[in-house]
């Protein structure tokens, strides 16, 4: 088992680079932190390297498979964390290839320019819970492999395909398959309970401040609205996603 | 108009103390940040002092009423913020007295030991949006006047009564009024859609890790469960709150 003690070790430097989107995109890999995420990633066979602090050691519960295991000092382990209470275990994963599976998907969540990593992660987790078949993340959203997104999603990245592509292209493609595509909007929209729940649908949710892009909304099958009964101006985008997905799936 | 230039000024020191729960409880006041929150608090007549950075000045749009206005240096203004991009406007508010209004409430959200300030704030915002009449926050939750809770709630603190009291006492009180009290649980619970929506109800949601306290769950009218259709283990508590409140209100 490999043991690294120096913060200057090139492998340590490479791991730290994975905290940037640029390097994640270039390498096709990403870094995860914490026992639960590492366990989920191992189940999916996506782990290239497990990094473990010498302070905690490797749990016998983890089925490492063919992944490399590297023990590091506590100092190195802590330097990879962006949390206040690091768990001392990390993994480098390869980004899953999105393939055939998606062509049979019946239900989709399309995400337009969501900025807050906690929101994006919670939305991916919510789509997973609601049994949605695929998540499509358009341009202008925070990176899906950002560490806070990964943490908020609590392993759902490993449960359903997450595709980063142009949403307009996807709306076209879905409508050609006769899958209804629902936007979300505050004006010119139908109360969501007026739309029938269904076996197949796509829901588009959008940016925390400005909502879904107007050009996209003009191409949807219908646009939905969640009534505000009190005095708040709007709902949090992840909460709205939960209300709509659980309604539409019924 | 008063103008303060020194970080050592006793009034500045007092404002900073309001970043702690202890001082908020002692003084019965709290500090808010940002134009939107200050505007909402002014509407409700809860503002004692408006604090504004000399860099931004006071917007003529704000109806200050009888509140005192204090101009401060940018350095002082920034020292009061816990955000990365301070807006330069703050207010000291008195905590609203909760009174008669609540005795006519028909719908309630009861919150048990929610730890994350973003979750608690989002839940208060969601209760407001769903037209819930009162929020009861039990012991063990993060303080409702914590700055992150206030920020996530986006002004909903000023829209509905938020009561900090023992949840067990409230469950008794509500059941004596024939208001059904629904807990949330992963085991021994009914699928939420099996419960009828109603004019009057109370919903209890709980801690991010351990859920609602077992002793409380044993005293409810019924306990509800949101089905997980995918592979995630659970939903975020604020998302679950939104799904249940919007279902129950229907």
């Amino acid at each position: 088992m490999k043991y690294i003690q120096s913060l200057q070790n090139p492998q340590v430097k490479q791991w730290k680079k994975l905290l940037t989107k640029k390097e994640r995109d270039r390498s096709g890999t990403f870094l995860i932190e914490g026992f639960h995420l590492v366990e989920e990633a191992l189940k999916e066979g996506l782990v290239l390297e497990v990094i473990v602090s010498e302070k905690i050691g490797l749990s016998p519960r983890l089925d490492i498979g063919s992944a490399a295991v590297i023990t590091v000092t506590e100092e190195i382990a802590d330097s990879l964390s962006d949390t206040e209470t690091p768990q001392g275990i990390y993994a480098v994963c390869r980004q899953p290839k999105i393939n055939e599976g998606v062509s049979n998907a019946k239900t989709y969540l399309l995400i337009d320019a969501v900025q807050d990593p906690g929101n994006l992660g919670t939305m991916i987790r919510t789509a997973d819970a609601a049994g949605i078949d695929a998540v499509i993340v358009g341009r202008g959203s925070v990176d899906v492999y950002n560490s806070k997104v990964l943490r908020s999603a609590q392993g759902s990245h490993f449960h359903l395909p997450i595709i980063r592509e142009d949403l307009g292209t996807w709306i076209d493609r879905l409508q050609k398959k006769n899958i209804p595509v629902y936007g979300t909007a505050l004006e010119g929209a139908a109360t969501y309970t007026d739309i029938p729940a269904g076996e197949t649908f796509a829901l588009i949710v959008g940016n925390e401040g400005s909502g879904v892009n107007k050009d996209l909304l003009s191409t949807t099958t219908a646009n939905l609205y969640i009534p505000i009964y009190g005095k708040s101006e709007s709902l949090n985008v992840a909460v709205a996603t939960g209300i709509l997905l659980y309604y539409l799936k019924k």
Side-chain angles (χ1 to χ4, degrees), chain A:
Chain A
M1 199 186 292
K2 200 165 173 179
Y3 176 44
I4 299 182
Q5 289 177 283
S6 165
L7 279 165
Q8 303 310 318
N9 183 291
Q11 207 162 356
V12 175
K13 288 183 178 173
Q14 174 57 27
W15 295 331
K16 283 197 189 170
K17 278 192 193 163
L18 290 179
L19 300 174
T20 68
K21 178 177 188 303
K22 189 178 170 190
E23 181 60 18
R24 291 190 294 264
D25 286 348
R26 192 202 61 77
S27 64
T29 66
F30 61 104
L31 186 72
I32 58 174
E33 174 176 358
F35 188 84
H36 176 68
L37 282 185
V38 172
E39 192 174 28
E40 295 280 318
L42 282 167
K43 277 187 209 159
E44 298 301 317
L46 294 172
V47 175
L48 303 172
E49 298 169 339
V50 176
I51 305 155
V52 62
S53 163
E54 62 186 348
K55 193 186 165 201
I56 70 149
L58 201 61
S59 163
R61 236 184 78 195
L62 282 181
D63 180 6
I64 296 297
S66 63
V69 177
I70 301 131
T71 304
V72 299
T73 61
E74 190 179 357
E75 183 189 27
I76 293 173
D78 288 356
S79 77
L80 299 175
S81 179
D82 72 344
T83 68
E84 285 176 24
T85 51
Q87 292 183 39
I89 184 160
Y90 304 81
V92 177
C93 304
R94 64 175 177 81
Q95 296 179 13
K97 296 248 184 319
I98 307 303
N99 46 30
E100 313 76 46
V102 175
S103 62
N104 300 321
K106 291 182 169 178
T107 53
Y108 298 81
L109 176 65
L110 276 62
I111 297 175
D112 178 36
V114 166
Q115 303 284 314
D116 180 85
N119 281 341
L120 182 58
T122 303
M123 290 157 79
I124 292 169
R125 178 182 174 192
T126 304
D128 180 11
I132 298 303
D133 297 323
V135 173
I136 321 288
V137 181
R139 295 195 194 92
S141 281
V142 60
D143 183 35
V144 298
Y145 295 115
N146 170 299
S147 61
K148 285 181 194 165
V149 176
L150 286 157
R151 197 156 61 242
S152 302
Q154 299 199 1
S156 291
H157 282 75
F158 306 117
H159 300 160
L160 80 176
I162 301 171
I163 301 161
R164 294 179 289 177
E165 268 178 29
D166 180 66
L167 296 187
T169 310
W170 269 93
I171 294 173
D172 266 4
R173 193 178 297 164
L174 294 167
Q175 289 185 326
K176 278 178 189 145
K177 289 184 172 187
N178 292 317
I179 294 177
V181 178
Y182 302 121
T184 46
L186 297 179
E187 290 170 12
T191 302
Y192 71 103
T193 47
D194 290 345
I195 299 288
E199 284 292 301
T200 182
F201 63 84
L203 175 71
I204 318 175
V205 290
N207 180 270
E208 289 88 347
S210 56
V212 178
N213 179 293
K214 297 278 182 297
D215 291 341
L216 295 178
L217 288 180
S218 69
T219 64
T220 57
T221 313
N223 294 322
L224 310 184
Y225 166 75
I226 301 177
I228 302 292
Y229 300 109
K231 288 189 260 180
S232 74
E233 289 173 10
S234 63
L235 285 157
N236 166 276
V237 66
V239 172
T241 300
I243 293 168
L244 293 172
L245 290 183
Y246 267 84
Y247 171 78
L248 288 168
K249 276 284 286 192
K250 238 182 290 180

